[in-house]
Amino acid sequence: MVSNELYQAILSRLYSTKRTASGWISFNCVMCTHRGETADTRHRGGIFLDGNTIVYHCFNCSYSSKFSEGTSFSSGFRKLLKALGFNALEITRWQMLAEAAQPVAERLIQQQQEANTLAFESASLPDGAVLITDPATASQYEDNSRYQAVCKYAANRLSNCLIIPKLYWTPDEKKMMNNRLIIPFMWENRLVGYTARFAGTPPVKEIPKYYDERPQHYLYNTESINRKRKFIFIVEGPMDALAIDGVAVMHNTVSSPQANWIEQHRNGAEIIVVPDRDGKVGLADVAIERGWSVAFPNWSPDIKDANSAVDKYGYLLTIKSIIDSRVNGSLRIKLRIKQGISNT
């Protein structure tokens, strides 16, 4: 595929790169100085191969561009290639390869759109996992401080959530699992993975808060879409999804298979993206591309996500603030982003 070959050609020209947990390759943005900004020295530029689409975005100058298999280069993408060091002859060559591949790519894209399904293999919970609300579990581990700490954490984080799923814990010490709250990932009534959230703050920064075993493109709490509703809330993590009965995409962006599935099953509902208030705009960028709305609720500065908002304001006020603050349209969303997602 031309998109994959070009992506590799781009990576070969980069230096001092970093790979994020979500698969983005970050480096100093090559477009900042072309847009009147100072030269980037903080790796604010990022490139990502999303299926058959090359996506570029800078979190400093907000420059965005993409190339999808089966399409021609946009003027913005040609400018990006030039800034990355491709000369005019090379850009023309890649353009010709892209145009020659269009008939094949169009057939592949059509096949993907016709299928437009997500399918995941079955998985297992960590060794020794038990349901924390089972009376037998509570009796057996009554004196286990790790079990009690995880139960307390679950009560504090989920007591105000609209949905309380089955929650698990394990005495297994591998990967500090005995310190984690285990939330199963279900798909079509089958277990396909899980997330294990450290109960509280890990003792050292090298220990991750979350340990995930999940398939690529997984969506959490899709049951909320199956219920007839006026709005569908798109959030980043499972805790937020449980708090407001939303759908979690498990990243700060949305992959094409995820977005396609959501749109196929929306049943006329308005899609509202509710980004975490950490300054990252990946979800908002997808909303702009897809014509979705983005919420900019006026929460206090200490509120970083939907779960925290429900803890402080309650479910009804949180939902009202999301709906009332939603913005649609590329220009208006970009204006709010420039103002700062966390400064609303």
Side-chain angles (χ1 to χ4, degrees), residues 40-72:
D40 177 27
T41 60
R42 299 176 57 198
H43 290 73
R44 301 295 283 167
I47 195 165
F48 180 68
L49 183 61
D50 184 7
N52 297 324
T53 300
I54 300 172
V55 181
Y56 179 86
H57 181 76
C58 175
F59 292 98
N60 184 49
C61 68
S62 298
Y63 187 86
S64 292
S65 189
K66 66 177 182 177
F67 163 68
S68 297
E69 196 80 34
T71 66
S72 299

Side-chain angles (χ1 to χ4, degrees), residues 166-178:
K166 291 182 177 180
L167 303 170
Y168 293 83
W169 173 81
T170 177
D172 193 340
E173 297 180 5
K174 291 197 297 283
K175 298 173 182 174
M176 300 190 76
M177 280 294 174
N178 62 332

Side-chain angles (χ1 to χ4, degrees), residues 230-235 254 262-263 266 268-275 281-297 321-334 336-337 341:
K230 187 174 180 180
F231 303 104
I232 295 171
F233 304 120
I234 305 300
V235 295
V254 189
I262 292 168
E263 291 188 336
R266 66 193 295 179
E270 179 181 345
I271 299 172
I272 303 178
V273 167
V274 188
V281 297
L283 284 182
D285 285 342
V286 176
I288 291 171
E289 179 184 337
R290 295 274 177 166
W292 300 347
S293 300
V294 180
F296 297 89
S321 68
I322 290 171
I323 294 173
D324 290 349
S325 68
R326 72 190 189 278
V327 174
N328 195 287
S330 174
L331 216 55
R332 285 180 289 179
I333 292 174
K334 287 180 178 179
R336 295 302 300 270
I337 290 173
I341 287 178

Side-chain angles (χ1 to χ4, degrees), residues 79-150:
K79 289 178 182 177
L80 174 63
L81 291 179
K82 182 178 180 181
L84 286 165
F86 290 79
N87 61 40
L89 188 62
E90 290 173 315
I91 295 173
T92 300
R93 172 181 169 273
W94 280 109
Q95 175 73 75
M96 292 174 64
L97 288 173
E99 291 174 353
Q102 282 184 16
V104 175
E106 287 169 1
R107 286 198 298 271
L108 290 174
I109 292 169
Q110 183 179 1
Q111 291 172 3
Q112 292 172 354
Q113 289 175 339
E114 288 173 353
N116 207 22
T117 58
L118 294 177
F120 309 113
E121 294 183 2
S122 297
S124 302
L125 290 173
D127 293 341
V130 291
L131 191 65
I132 65 173
T133 53
D134 188 330
T137 302
S139 176
Q140 181 178 356
Y141 297 103
E142 181 179 3
D143 298 324
N144 188 301
S145 60
R146 305 296 186 191
Y147 168 74
Q148 296 298 331
V150 169

Side-chain angles (χ1 to χ4, degrees), residues 180 201-210:
R180 298 180 181 275
T201 303
V204 294
K205 64 180 181 179
E206 289 77 16
I207 298 175
K209 285 185 179 181
Y210 289 93

